[in-house]
Amino acid sequence: MEEHHGLNYVRTEMLGEQAPPVSEVGAVRWVRENLFSGWVNTILTVISLAVIAWAVMAIGPWLLNSVWEAESLAQCREILTAAGAVNEHGTFGACWGVINDRWHQLLFGFYPPELYWRPILAFVLMLIALAPVLFPNVPRKWLFFSVAYPFIGFFLLWGGTVWLPLMIAAGFVVGYIAARLTSGYSTLITSAAAIIAPLIWWFYLMGPVTEALHSVIPIGLEVVPSNDFGGFMLSIIIGVTGIVLSLPLGILLALGRQSNMPLIKTICVVFIEFVRGVPLITLLFTASLLLNYFLPPGTNFDLILRVIIMVTLFATAYMAEVIRGGLAALPNGQYEAADALGLDYWKAQRLIIMPQALKISIPGIVNTFIGLFKDTTLVVFIGLLDPIGLSSAIRASSDWQGIYWELFIFIGAIFWIFCFGMSRYSMYLERRLKTDHR
């Protein structure tokens, strides 16, 4: 047998598994790859750690010396002085007693305390109504409650006769009947009938019918005027209503802008470009001062309702452009496939085009929603007391004159919770609709 010179050793047994190097696993690897991967990254990491350390050393003692039980800023300072939380500038500590003392005002405005159960119930029912829209596991039959909720929420928040929200809902039935009766004519005539008939009902016929029904069957809740609304309750009412209404209206505007009918396209383009070119605060002043001039004489149009209309129109214009971007991102083959299947325009949009366009547009849609919710703070300029407006009223009182950071930290934290929740949901929705890997 021929010898193999130079082959000194051949292993005859398998080596056991060895632990990987410490620098290649766990937190050490993450730190090395993400924080110290190069000299630029290392410098930025050191600077960031220094800023964080400075912020903790500056803010930490202020938060640690917090006072939660106080009825005024003076009492809060007395407690801090007794605890020795004093520096060269005076007392040093967070006075959260203002939140403990005025939390109900920041949440509900001047809504009557004995009726707090009504906005709380309206908020809980809102979450139930949104559940079948946001989550696919919720039974679809709950959508009937989602459709009915706006009228239930209106009745709970404002009160009054129960016939008013029912007659408002009846206006949509009138529009549906008008559309069915004119379905044999052109699309333009059908659309005009579906819009004009409810407007005639709401502005001219609904009032007398509601009064007649209430005189026969007087059922209702105690009326709460809009002047008593405020705080986060007001921001949620305006924000959620604008979000819910702007999406379907934005879809219609985006489709109208791509329409082959010159009149429809021109109206949509003019509306979108005009609204997007005007600041929201201008539209709010219009809602506050000018909108009543365009209504029939003697019409009492609630200020909050006027603000909701303007905020919705403003968000609709931006939503239309976001959705138009999603439509433009679809290849022409999708439209051709819909035509090849023999689908009409609306079936093609509902079954093929719009689901894909909305999936593409999810980040832009949620971004518009978040911006709209934060823009509700602008209503303070037309006299509505949102959380920012209430903070100014609280700081103007003799008990809390001079308080500042605690109020705005609390308001900012609540807004952050809502906006962060919307961003997390959008990420969940993107993951659920990501079907390209399947």
Side-chain angles (χ1 to χ4, degrees), residues 357-416:
L358 291 177
K359 183 176 74 170
I360 296 171
S361 305
I362 285 175
I365 291 174
V366 176
N367 185 59
T368 303
F369 286 167
I370 292 175
L372 171 62
F373 185 69
K374 291 188 295 185
D375 285 344
T376 57
T377 56
L378 293 176
V379 299
V380 67
F381 294 107
I382 58 173
L384 294 179
L385 293 179
D386 72 314
I388 302 297
L390 282 173
S391 69
S392 300
I394 292 172
R395 289 188 295 115
S397 66
S398 57
D399 290 336
W400 297 108
Q401 189 173 13
I403 202 77
Y404 187 80
W405 288 107
E406 293 84 350
L407 284 170
F408 289 107
I409 289 175
F410 175 77
I411 294 171
I414 299 297
F415 271 105
W416 181 85

Short mmCIF file of all heavy atoms in Angstrom, two decimals, residues 357-416:
data_model
loop_
_atom_site.label_atom_id
_atom_site.label_comp_id
_atom_site.label_asym_id
_atom_site.label_seq_id
_atom_site.Cartn_x
_atom_site.Cartn_y
_atom_site.Cartn_z
N ALA A 357 -54.64 50.25 -4.47
CA ALA A 357 -54.23 51.64 -4.30
C ALA A 357 -54.22 52.04 -2.83
O ALA A 357 -53.31 52.75 -2.37
CB ALA A 357 -55.17 52.56 -5.09
N LEU A 358 -55.21 51.58 -2.07
CA LEU A 358 -55.26 51.91 -0.65
C LEU A 358 -54.11 51.25 0.10
O LEU A 358 -53.56 51.84 1.04
CB LEU A 358 -56.60 51.50 -0.06
CG LEU A 358 -57.83 52.30 -0.52
CD1 LEU A 358 -59.10 51.75 0.08
CD2 LEU A 358 -57.68 53.77 -0.18
N LYS A 359 -53.75 50.02 -0.28
CA LYS A 359 -52.63 49.36 0.38
C LYS A 359 -51.34 50.13 0.15
O LYS A 359 -50.54 50.31 1.07
CB LYS A 359 -52.50 47.93 -0.14
CG LYS A 359 -51.40 47.15 0.56
CD LYS A 359 -51.35 45.71 0.10
CE LYS A 359 -50.76 45.60 -1.29
NZ LYS A 359 -50.49 44.18 -1.67
N ILE A 360 -51.15 50.62 -1.06
CA ILE A 360 -49.95 51.41 -1.36
C ILE A 360 -49.96 52.72 -0.58
O ILE A 360 -48.91 53.21 -0.14
CB ILE A 360 -49.86 51.67 -2.87
CG1 ILE A 360 -49.68 50.35 -3.62
CG2 ILE A 360 -48.73 52.62 -3.20
CD1 ILE A 360 -49.79 50.48 -5.13
N SER A 361 -51.14 53.26 -0.37
CA SER A 361 -51.26 54.61 0.22
C SER A 361 -51.34 54.60 1.74
O SER A 361 -51.50 55.67 2.33
CB SER A 361 -52.52 55.30 -0.34
OG SER A 361 -52.51 55.32 -1.75
N ILE A 362 -51.25 53.45 2.38
CA ILE A 362 -51.43 53.38 3.84
C ILE A 362 -50.52 54.35 4.60
O ILE A 362 -50.99 55.10 5.47
CB ILE A 362 -51.24 51.94 4.35
CG1 ILE A 362 -52.46 51.09 3.98
CG2 ILE A 362 -51.03 51.91 5.86
CD1 ILE A 362 -52.31 49.63 4.33
N PRO A 363 -49.20 54.41 4.32
CA PRO A 363 -48.37 55.36 5.09
C PRO A 363 -48.82 56.80 4.93
O PRO A 363 -48.88 57.56 5.91
CB PRO A 363 -46.96 55.14 4.51
CG PRO A 363 -46.99 53.75 3.95
CD PRO A 363 -48.37 53.56 3.43
N GLY A 364 -49.15 57.21 3.69
CA GLY A 364 -49.60 58.57 3.48
C GLY A 364 -50.95 58.85 4.12
O GLY A 364 -51.19 59.95 4.65
N ILE A 365 -51.85 57.87 4.11
CA ILE A 365 -53.17 58.04 4.73
C ILE A 365 -53.03 58.23 6.23
O ILE A 365 -53.60 59.16 6.81
CB ILE A 365 -54.06 56.82 4.41
CG1 ILE A 365 -54.43 56.80 2.92
CG2 ILE A 365 -55.32 56.84 5.26
CD1 ILE A 365 -55.18 55.56 2.50
N VAL A 366 -52.25 57.37 6.88
CA VAL A 366 -52.08 57.49 8.34
C VAL A 366 -51.35 58.78 8.69
O VAL A 366 -51.67 59.42 9.69
CB VAL A 366 -51.34 56.26 8.87
CG1 VAL A 366 -51.05 56.41 10.36
CG2 VAL A 366 -52.15 54.99 8.62
N ASN A 367 -50.39 59.18 7.88
CA ASN A 367 -49.70 60.44 8.13
C ASN A 367 -50.68 61.62 8.08
O ASN A 367 -50.61 62.54 8.90
CB ASN A 367 -48.59 60.64 7.10
CG ASN A 367 -47.76 61.86 7.38
OD1 ASN A 367 -47.16 62.01 8.43
ND2 ASN A 367 -47.73 62.78 6.42
N THR A 368 -51.61 61.58 7.13
CA THR A 368 -52.63 62.63 7.05
C THR A 368 -53.55 62.60 8.27
O THR A 368 -53.92 63.64 8.81
CB THR A 368 -53.45 62.46 5.76
OG1 THR A 368 -52.58 62.48 4.63
CG2 THR A 368 -54.47 63.58 5.62
N PHE A 369 -53.90 61.40 8.71
CA PHE A 369 -54.74 61.27 9.90
C PHE A 369 -54.06 61.86 11.13
O PHE A 369 -54.68 62.59 11.91
CB PHE A 369 -55.07 59.80 10.16
CG PHE A 369 -56.07 59.22 9.20
CD1 PHE A 369 -56.28 57.85 9.12
CD2 PHE A 369 -56.82 60.03 8.37
CE1 PHE A 369 -57.20 57.31 8.25
CE2 PHE A 369 -57.74 59.51 7.47
CZ PHE A 369 -57.93 58.14 7.43
N ILE A 370 -52.78 61.54 11.31
CA ILE A 370 -52.04 62.04 12.48
C ILE A 370 -51.95 63.56 12.42
O ILE A 370 -52.15 64.26 13.43
CB ILE A 370 -50.65 61.39 12.54
CG1 ILE A 370 -50.77 59.90 12.86
CG2 ILE A 370 -49.77 62.08 13.59
CD1 ILE A 370 -49.45 59.15 12.82
N GLY A 371 -51.63 64.11 11.25
CA GLY A 371 -51.57 65.56 11.11
C GLY A 371 -52.90 66.22 11.39
O GLY A 371 -52.96 67.28 12.03
N LEU A 372 -54.00 65.59 10.93
CA LEU A 372 -55.32 66.14 11.18
C LEU A 372 -55.65 66.16 12.67
O LEU A 372 -56.17 67.16 13.19
CB LEU A 372 -56.36 65.31 10.42
CG LEU A 372 -57.84 65.61 10.73
CD1 LEU A 372 -58.18 67.04 10.35
CD2 LEU A 372 -58.75 64.63 9.99
N PHE A 373 -55.33 65.07 13.37
CA PHE A 373 -55.64 65.01 14.81
C PHE A 373 -54.86 66.09 15.57
O PHE A 373 -55.39 66.72 16.48
CB PHE A 373 -55.32 63.62 15.34
CG PHE A 373 -55.72 63.43 16.77
CD1 PHE A 373 -57.06 63.39 17.13
CD2 PHE A 373 -54.77 63.30 17.77
CE1 PHE A 373 -57.43 63.22 18.46
CE2 PHE A 373 -55.13 63.14 19.09
CZ PHE A 373 -56.47 63.09 19.44
N LYS A 374 -53.61 66.30 15.20
CA LYS A 374 -52.83 67.34 15.89
C LYS A 374 -53.30 68.74 15.51
O LYS A 374 -53.22 69.66 16.33
CB LYS A 374 -51.35 67.16 15.55
CG LYS A 374 -50.73 65.91 16.15
CD LYS A 374 -49.23 65.86 15.96
CE LYS A 374 -48.85 65.75 14.49
NZ LYS A 374 -47.39 65.59 14.31
N ASP A 375 -53.82 68.91 14.30
CA ASP A 375 -54.29 70.23 13.87
C ASP A 375 -55.57 70.65 14.57
O ASP A 375 -55.99 71.81 14.44
CB ASP A 375 -54.51 70.24 12.36
CG ASP A 375 -53.20 70.31 11.59
OD1 ASP A 375 -52.18 70.65 12.20
OD2 ASP A 375 -53.20 70.01 10.37
N THR A 376 -56.22 69.73 15.29
CA THR A 376 -57.43 70.13 16.02
C THR A 376 -57.12 71.19 17.08
O THR A 376 -58.04 71.87 17.54
CB THR A 376 -58.09 68.91 16.68
OG1 THR A 376 -57.15 68.27 17.56
CG2 THR A 376 -58.54 67.90 15.63
N THR A 377 -55.86 71.32 17.47
CA THR A 377 -55.51 72.35 18.47
C THR A 377 -55.67 73.76 17.91
O THR A 377 -55.70 74.72 18.68
CB THR A 377 -54.07 72.15 18.95
OG1 THR A 377 -53.18 72.16 17.83
CG2 THR A 377 -53.92 70.82 19.67
N LEU A 378 -55.79 73.91 16.59
CA LEU A 378 -55.95 75.24 16.00
C LEU A 378 -57.31 75.85 16.30
O LEU A 378 -57.49 77.05 16.10
CB LEU A 378 -55.74 75.17 14.48
CG LEU A 378 -54.32 74.83 14.01
CD1 LEU A 378 -54.29 74.69 12.49
CD2 LEU A 378 -53.33 75.89 14.46
N VAL A 379 -58.27 75.05 16.77
CA VAL A 379 -59.60 75.61 17.04
C VAL A 379 -59.57 76.60 18.18
O VAL A 379 -60.54 77.33 18.40
CB VAL A 379 -60.62 74.48 17.32
CG1 VAL A 379 -60.74 73.55 16.13
CG2 VAL A 379 -60.23 73.70 18.58
N VAL A 380 -58.47 76.65 18.93
CA VAL A 380 -58.37 77.61 20.02
C VAL A 380 -58.45 79.04 19.49
O VAL A 380 -58.90 79.96 20.20
CB VAL A 380 -57.05 77.38 20.80
CG1 VAL A 380 -55.84 77.70 19.95
CG2 VAL A 380 -57.03 78.21 22.08
N PHE A 381 -58.05 79.25 18.23
CA PHE A 381 -58.04 80.61 17.66
C PHE A 381 -59.43 81.12 17.32
O PHE A 381 -59.59 82.31 17.02
CB PHE A 381 -57.15 80.66 16.42
CG PHE A 381 -55.70 80.43 16.71
CD1 PHE A 381 -55.07 79.24 16.38
CD2 PHE A 381 -54.95 81.40 17.35
CE1 PHE A 381 -53.74 79.03 16.65
CE2 PHE A 381 -53.61 81.19 17.64
CZ PHE A 381 -53.00 80.00 17.29
N ILE A 382 -60.43 80.24 17.32
CA ILE A 382 -61.80 80.70 17.04
C ILE A 382 -62.69 80.55 18.26
O ILE A 382 -63.91 80.55 18.16
CB ILE A 382 -62.41 79.95 15.83
CG1 ILE A 382 -62.42 78.44 16.09
CG2 ILE A 382 -61.65 80.26 14.57
CD1 ILE A 382 -63.18 77.67 15.01
N GLY A 383 -62.06 80.41 19.43
CA GLY A 383 -62.82 80.45 20.68
C GLY A 383 -63.22 79.12 21.25
O GLY A 383 -63.90 79.08 22.29
N LEU A 384 -62.86 78.00 20.62
CA LEU A 384 -63.16 76.69 21.18
C LEU A 384 -62.02 76.27 22.11
O LEU A 384 -60.86 76.39 21.75
CB LEU A 384 -63.36 75.65 20.07
CG LEU A 384 -64.58 75.86 19.16
CD1 LEU A 384 -64.62 74.78 18.09
CD2 LEU A 384 -65.87 75.86 19.97
N LEU A 385 -62.38 75.76 23.28
CA LEU A 385 -61.37 75.46 24.29
C LEU A 385 -60.92 74.01 24.16
O LEU A 385 -61.41 73.12 24.86
CB LEU A 385 -61.93 75.74 25.69
CG LEU A 385 -62.21 77.21 25.99
CD1 LEU A 385 -62.78 77.38 27.38
CD2 LEU A 385 -60.95 78.04 25.82
N ASP A 386 -59.98 73.78 23.29
CA ASP A 386 -59.32 72.49 23.18
C ASP A 386 -58.33 72.37 24.35
O ASP A 386 -58.27 73.27 25.20
CB ASP A 386 -58.60 72.37 21.83
CG ASP A 386 -57.37 73.26 21.78
OD1 ASP A 386 -57.47 74.43 22.18
OD2 ASP A 386 -56.31 72.78 21.36
N PRO A 387 -57.54 71.30 24.47
CA PRO A 387 -56.62 71.20 25.60
C PRO A 387 -55.66 72.38 25.72
O PRO A 387 -55.35 72.83 26.84
CB PRO A 387 -55.86 69.89 25.32
CG PRO A 387 -56.81 69.08 24.53
CD PRO A 387 -57.57 70.04 23.69
N ILE A 388 -55.17 72.91 24.60
CA ILE A 388 -54.27 74.06 24.66
C ILE A 388 -55.00 75.29 25.19
O ILE A 388 -54.49 76.03 26.04
CB ILE A 388 -53.67 74.36 23.28
CG1 ILE A 388 -52.91 73.13 22.74
CG2 ILE A 388 -52.74 75.55 23.34
CD1 ILE A 388 -51.73 72.72 23.57
N GLY A 389 -56.22 75.51 24.72
CA GLY A 389 -56.99 76.64 25.21
C GLY A 389 -57.33 76.51 26.68
O GLY A 389 -57.27 77.49 27.43
N LEU A 390 -57.63 75.30 27.13
CA LEU A 390 -57.93 75.10 28.55
C LEU A 390 -56.68 75.28 29.41
O LEU A 390 -56.78 75.74 30.55
CB LEU A 390 -58.52 73.70 28.75
CG LEU A 390 -59.99 73.55 28.38
CD1 LEU A 390 -60.42 72.10 28.46
CD2 LEU A 390 -60.87 74.40 29.29
N SER A 391 -55.52 74.90 28.88
CA SER A 391 -54.29 75.11 29.66
C SER A 391 -54.06 76.60 29.90
O SER A 391 -53.63 77.00 30.99
CB SER A 391 -53.10 74.50 28.92
OG SER A 391 -52.79 75.22 27.73
N SER A 392 -54.36 77.43 28.90
CA SER A 392 -54.23 78.88 29.09
C SER A 392 -55.23 79.38 30.13
O SER A 392 -54.91 80.25 30.96
CB SER A 392 -54.44 79.60 27.76
OG SER A 392 -53.49 79.19 26.81
N ALA A 393 -56.46 78.83 30.09
CA ALA A 393 -57.46 79.24 31.09
C ALA A 393 -57.05 78.81 32.49
O ALA A 393 -57.25 79.56 33.46
CB ALA A 393 -58.82 78.63 30.71
N ILE A 394 -56.47 77.62 32.61
CA ILE A 394 -56.03 77.14 33.92
C ILE A 394 -54.89 77.99 34.45
O ILE A 394 -54.86 78.37 35.63
CB ILE A 394 -55.62 75.66 33.82
CG1 ILE A 394 -56.85 74.79 33.54
CG2 ILE A 394 -54.92 75.20 35.10
CD1 ILE A 394 -56.52 73.34 33.24
N ARG A 395 -53.93 78.33 33.57
CA ARG A 395 -52.79 79.13 34.01
C ARG A 395 -53.19 80.56 34.33
O ARG A 395 -52.46 81.27 35.02
CB ARG A 395 -51.71 79.13 32.93
CG ARG A 395 -51.01 77.78 32.79
CD ARG A 395 -49.82 77.82 31.87
NE ARG A 395 -50.19 78.11 30.48
CZ ARG A 395 -49.84 79.20 29.84
NH1 ARG A 395 -49.12 80.14 30.45
NH2 ARG A 395 -50.21 79.39 28.59
N ALA A 396 -54.34 80.99 33.82
CA ALA A 396 -54.80 82.34 34.12
C ALA A 396 -55.51 82.44 35.46
O ALA A 396 -55.74 83.55 35.97
CB ALA A 396 -55.74 82.83 33.02
N SER A 397 -55.88 81.29 36.05
CA SER A 397 -56.55 81.32 37.35
C SER A 397 -55.56 81.68 38.45
O SER A 397 -54.35 81.47 38.31
CB SER A 397 -57.20 79.96 37.64
OG SER A 397 -56.20 78.96 37.79
N SER A 398 -56.06 82.21 39.53
CA SER A 398 -55.17 82.65 40.62
C SER A 398 -54.46 81.47 41.29
O SER A 398 -53.35 81.62 41.79
CB SER A 398 -55.99 83.44 41.65
OG SER A 398 -57.06 82.64 42.15
N ASP A 399 -55.10 80.30 41.31
CA ASP A 399 -54.50 79.16 41.98
C ASP A 399 -53.28 78.61 41.23
O ASP A 399 -52.31 78.16 41.85
CB ASP A 399 -55.53 78.04 42.15
CG ASP A 399 -56.60 78.38 43.16
OD1 ASP A 399 -56.31 79.22 44.04
OD2 ASP A 399 -57.71 77.83 43.07
N TRP A 400 -53.34 78.63 39.91
CA TRP A 400 -52.29 77.99 39.13
C TRP A 400 -51.57 78.97 38.22
O TRP A 400 -50.96 78.57 37.23
CB TRP A 400 -52.87 76.84 38.30
CG TRP A 400 -53.45 75.76 39.15
CD1 TRP A 400 -54.76 75.47 39.34
CD2 TRP A 400 -52.71 74.84 39.96
NE1 TRP A 400 -54.91 74.43 40.21
CE2 TRP A 400 -53.67 74.01 40.60
CE3 TRP A 400 -51.36 74.63 40.21
CZ2 TRP A 400 -53.30 73.00 41.48
CZ3 TRP A 400 -50.99 73.61 41.07
CH2 TRP A 400 -51.95 72.81 41.70
N GLN A 401 -51.60 80.23 38.54
CA GLN A 401 -50.89 81.22 37.74
C GLN A 401 -49.38 81.01 37.87
O GLN A 401 -48.84 81.02 38.97
CB GLN A 401 -51.27 82.63 38.17
CG GLN A 401 -50.74 83.71 37.25
CD GLN A 401 -51.28 85.08 37.62
OE1 GLN A 401 -51.85 85.25 38.69
NE2 GLN A 401 -51.12 86.05 36.74
N GLY A 402 -48.71 80.80 36.75
CA GLY A 402 -47.29 80.54 36.76
C GLY A 402 -46.92 79.10 36.45
O GLY A 402 -45.75 78.81 36.18
N ILE A 403 -47.90 78.18 36.46
CA ILE A 403 -47.64 76.79 36.08
C ILE A 403 -47.45 76.72 34.58
O ILE A 403 -48.06 77.49 33.83
CB ILE A 403 -48.78 75.87 36.54
CG1 ILE A 403 -48.31 74.42 36.65
CG2 ILE A 403 -49.97 75.97 35.61
CD1 ILE A 403 -47.50 74.15 37.87
N TYR A 404 -46.58 75.86 34.12
CA TYR A 404 -46.31 75.84 32.67
C TYR A 404 -46.01 74.44 32.16
O TYR A 404 -46.82 73.83 31.46
CB TYR A 404 -45.13 76.77 32.36
CG TYR A 404 -44.87 76.95 30.89
CD1 TYR A 404 -45.64 77.83 30.14
CD2 TYR A 404 -43.86 76.25 30.25
CE1 TYR A 404 -45.41 78.00 28.78
CE2 TYR A 404 -43.63 76.40 28.89
CZ TYR A 404 -44.40 77.28 28.16
OH TYR A 404 -44.18 77.43 26.83
N TRP A 405 -44.86 73.90 32.54
CA TRP A 405 -44.37 72.66 31.92
C TRP A 405 -45.29 71.47 32.18
O TRP A 405 -45.49 70.63 31.30
CB TRP A 405 -42.96 72.35 32.42
CG TRP A 405 -41.92 73.27 31.87
CD1 TRP A 405 -41.27 74.26 32.53
CD2 TRP A 405 -41.43 73.28 30.52
NE1 TRP A 405 -40.40 74.90 31.69
CE2 TRP A 405 -40.47 74.32 30.44
CE3 TRP A 405 -41.71 72.54 29.38
CZ2 TRP A 405 -39.80 74.62 29.28
CZ3 TRP A 405 -41.04 72.83 28.20
CH2 TRP A 405 -40.09 73.86 28.17
N GLU A 406 -45.81 71.37 33.38
CA GLU A 406 -46.59 70.19 33.72
C GLU A 406 -47.82 70.04 32.82
O GLU A 406 -48.14 68.94 32.37
CB GLU A 406 -47.02 70.26 35.19
CG GLU A 406 -45.87 70.16 36.18
CD GLU A 406 -45.18 71.49 36.44
OE1 GLU A 406 -45.48 72.46 35.69
OE2 GLU A 406 -44.34 71.57 37.35
N LEU A 407 -48.50 71.15 32.54
CA LEU A 407 -49.69 71.09 31.69
C LEU A 407 -49.35 70.64 30.28
O LEU A 407 -50.00 69.75 29.71
CB LEU A 407 -50.37 72.46 31.67
CG LEU A 407 -51.19 72.85 32.90
CD1 LEU A 407 -51.58 74.31 32.82
CD2 LEU A 407 -52.43 71.97 33.01
N PHE A 408 -48.30 71.23 29.72
CA PHE A 408 -47.97 70.91 28.33
C PHE A 408 -47.35 69.52 28.20
O PHE A 408 -47.51 68.86 27.16
CB PHE A 408 -47.06 71.98 27.75
CG PHE A 408 -47.75 73.28 27.51
CD1 PHE A 408 -47.51 74.38 28.32
CD2 PHE A 408 -48.68 73.40 26.49
CE1 PHE A 408 -48.17 75.58 28.10
CE2 PHE A 408 -49.34 74.59 26.26
CZ PHE A 408 -49.09 75.68 27.07
N ILE A 409 -46.65 69.05 29.22
CA ILE A 409 -46.13 67.68 29.18
C ILE A 409 -47.30 66.69 29.19
O ILE A 409 -47.32 65.71 28.45
CB ILE A 409 -45.19 67.42 30.36
CG1 ILE A 409 -43.88 68.20 30.16
CG2 ILE A 409 -44.90 65.94 30.53
CD1 ILE A 409 -42.93 68.10 31.33
N PHE A 410 -48.30 66.96 30.02
CA PHE A 410 -49.47 66.08 30.09
C PHE A 410 -50.23 66.09 28.76
O PHE A 410 -50.59 65.02 28.23
CB PHE A 410 -50.39 66.53 31.23
CG PHE A 410 -51.68 65.76 31.31
CD1 PHE A 410 -51.70 64.49 31.84
CD2 PHE A 410 -52.86 66.32 30.85
CE1 PHE A 410 -52.90 63.77 31.92
CE2 PHE A 410 -54.06 65.61 30.92
CZ PHE A 410 -54.07 64.34 31.46
N ILE A 411 -50.46 67.27 28.19
CA ILE A 411 -51.18 67.37 26.92
C ILE A 411 -50.39 66.69 25.80
O ILE A 411 -50.95 65.93 25.00
CB ILE A 411 -51.45 68.85 26.58
CG1 ILE A 411 -52.42 69.45 27.60
CG2 ILE A 411 -52.00 69.00 25.17
CD1 ILE A 411 -52.59 70.95 27.49
N GLY A 412 -49.08 66.95 25.77
CA GLY A 412 -48.25 66.31 24.75
C GLY A 412 -48.23 64.80 24.89
O GLY A 412 -48.24 64.08 23.88
N ALA A 413 -48.24 64.29 26.11
CA ALA A 413 -48.22 62.83 26.32
C ALA A 413 -49.51 62.20 25.81
O ALA A 413 -49.48 61.13 25.19
CB ALA A 413 -48.02 62.53 27.80
N ILE A 414 -50.65 62.84 26.06
CA ILE A 414 -51.92 62.28 25.59
C ILE A 414 -51.97 62.28 24.07
O ILE A 414 -52.37 61.28 23.44
CB ILE A 414 -53.11 63.06 26.17
CG1 ILE A 414 -53.10 62.98 27.70
CG2 ILE A 414 -54.41 62.52 25.62
CD1 ILE A 414 -53.27 61.58 28.25
N PHE A 415 -51.55 63.38 23.44
CA PHE A 415 -51.53 63.42 21.98
C PHE A 415 -50.57 62.37 21.43
O PHE A 415 -50.85 61.73 20.41
CB PHE A 415 -51.13 64.81 21.49
CG PHE A 415 -52.28 65.75 21.30
CD1 PHE A 415 -52.53 66.77 22.21
CD2 PHE A 415 -53.12 65.61 20.21
CE1 PHE A 415 -53.60 67.63 22.04
CE2 PHE A 415 -54.19 66.47 20.03
CZ PHE A 415 -54.43 67.48 20.95
N TRP A 416 -49.43 62.18 22.10
CA TRP A 416 -48.46 61.19 21.64
C TRP A 416 -49.06 59.78 21.70
O TRP A 416 -48.85 58.97 20.79
CB TRP A 416 -47.21 61.25 22.49
CG TRP A 416 -46.18 60.26 22.04
CD1 TRP A 416 -45.25 60.41 21.06
CD2 TRP A 416 -45.97 58.93 22.57
NE1 TRP A 416 -44.48 59.27 20.93
CE2 TRP A 416 -44.90 58.35 21.85
CE3 TRP A 416 -46.58 58.20 23.58
CZ2 TRP A 416 -44.45 57.06 22.11
CZ3 TRP A 416 -46.13 56.92 23.84
CH2 TRP A 416 -45.08 56.37 23.12
#
